[in-house]
Amino acid sequence: GAGVSQTPSNKVTEKGKYVELRCDPISGHTALYWYRQSLGQGPEFLIYFQGTGAADDSGLPNDRFFAVRPEGSVSTLKIQRTERGDSAVYLCASSPLAVTDTQYFGPGTRLTVL
Amino acid sequence: KQEVTQIPAALSVPEGENLVLNCSFTDSAIYNLQWFRQDPGKGLTSLLLIQSSQREQTSGRLNASLDKSSGRSTLYIAASQPGDSATYLCAVPGNNRLAFGKGNQVVVIP
């Protein structure tokens, strides 16, 4: 079946602009995660959804970052007033139910803030 | 807070040699440990998930061992091939997330 998909694959924006990154998880997976990966680093946790609710958003770096999952499937990560330091690869993952299940990752969105 | 370390950070081996990649973690109270592969510019592909009750998990040429008490896991790749060139990441779950190491960047030289 289809894996996790993310759009766009690449996003170039100017400092101060607003961006939205989309994640389409594996059908039926209730758990969804966003991570951010900088060059040479492992992914760092941003936010975890269980169904429609954000169960843990403690990894969001500041209030410019926000994510939603209104129907418990597709999720959107929103970044306001982008800064050059936001440049990274944003990865989405889903798992059937719990964080201890195998997590399946999407291909990522490479965000570049000029 | 769980800290995950992977050594070596990078290694190059000639084709046919066995690869040994190490992962250590600070909190031994883990539920499982997952190994991933990441190709340049791509997402993560799950290779193996080893439960805390297991000592080994095998898939083809890949074998992962887990020593929970010492906080270590090792990924062995037998008879390496150029197609094995990638970054390998280990991760442990906890606090609603996976905690990752920085990865082992592997180059297999033909």
Side-chain angles (χ1 to χ4, degrees), chain B residues 89-107:
Chain B
L89 295 139
C90 69
V92 293
N95 293 330
N96 298 318
R97 69 201 67 187
L98 287 178
F100 284 87
K102 292 184 179 182
N104 306 107
Q105 186 176 11
V106 171
V107 174

Side-chain angles (χ1 to χ4, degrees), chain A:
Chain A
V4 178
S5 62
Q6 291 186 246
T7 54
S9 56
N10 279 285
K11 177 70 177 179
V12 180
T13 191
E14 293 180 345
K15 180 175 178 296
K17 299 288 189 184
Y18 168 83
V19 297
E20 289 190 352
L21 312 179
R22 175 187 167 110
C23 172
D24 207 331
I26 292 173
S27 178
H29 282 191
T30 61
L32 184 146
Y33 314 82
W34 284 98
Y35 295 85
R36 178 166 73 172
Q37 187 177 27
S38 300
L39 195 63
Q41 304 293 315
E44 294 182 341
F45 170 79
L46 294 176
I47 187 168
Y48 157 58
F49 285 91
Q50 185 57 244
T52 60
D56 186 343
D57 64 359
S58 61
L60 295 177
N62 51 59
D63 62 5
R64 295 185 299 104
F65 288 74
F66 189 71
V68 295
R69 195 185 183 199
E71 297 178 358
S73 55
V74 171
S75 176
T76 304
L77 178 66
K78 308 180 181 195
I79 310 174
Q80 298 177 322
R81 304 182 305 280
T82 52
E83 300 177 356
R84 293 193 179 88
D86 299 334
S87 297
V89 176
Y90 289 81
L91 295 165
C92 175
S94 70
S95 67
L97 186 64
V99 69
T100 50
D101 297 331
T102 298
Q103 291 193 20
Y104 299 89
F105 281 76
T109 294
R110 180 175 298 278
L111 175 66
T112 303
V113 182
L114 301 177

Side-chain angles (χ1 to χ4, degrees), chain B residues 28-47:
Chain B
S28 62
I30 63 168
Y31 190 84
N32 58 41
L33 184 144
Q34 199 167 354
W35 280 94
F36 293 89
R37 170 184 170 135
Q38 186 172 34
D39 293 290
K42 305 290 186 185
L44 279 64
T45 300
S46 179
L47 296 174

Side-chain angles (χ1 to χ4, degrees), chain B:
Chain B
K1 180 188 169 186
Q2 179 75 269
E3 301 285 345
V4 180
T5 304
Q6 292 186 247
I7 53 170
L11 71 161
S12 296
V13 298
E15 181 177 359
E17 273 200 10
N18 297 331
L19 282 163
V20 180
L21 308 178
N22 296 299
C23 170
S24 61
F25 44 93
T26 53
D27 184 350
S28 62
I30 63 168
Y31 190 84
N32 58 41
L33 184 144
Q34 199 167 354
W35 280 94
F36 293 89
R37 170 184 170 135
Q38 186 172 34
D39 293 290
K42 305 290 186 185
L44 279 64
T45 300
S46 179
L47 296 174
L48 289 167
L49 184 150
I50 181 165
Q51 300 289 353
S52 62
S53 58
Q54 296 177 301
R55 293 192 65 84
E56 280 190 10
Q57 182 71 264
T58 298
S59 175
R61 293 185 295 111
L62 276 58
N63 175 277
S65 68
L66 177 64
D67 183 343
K68 223 178 81 162
S69 60
S70 66
R72 289 189 297 191
S73 176
T74 302
L75 180 67
Y76 301 89
I77 304 177
S80 61
Q81 303 169 357
D84 295 328
S85 299
T87 296
Y88 294 83
L89 295 139
C90 69
V92 293
N95 293 330
N96 298 318
R97 69 201 67 187
L98 287 178
F100 284 87
K102 292 184 179 182
N104 306 107
Q105 186 176 11
V106 171
V107 174
V108 180
I109 304 164

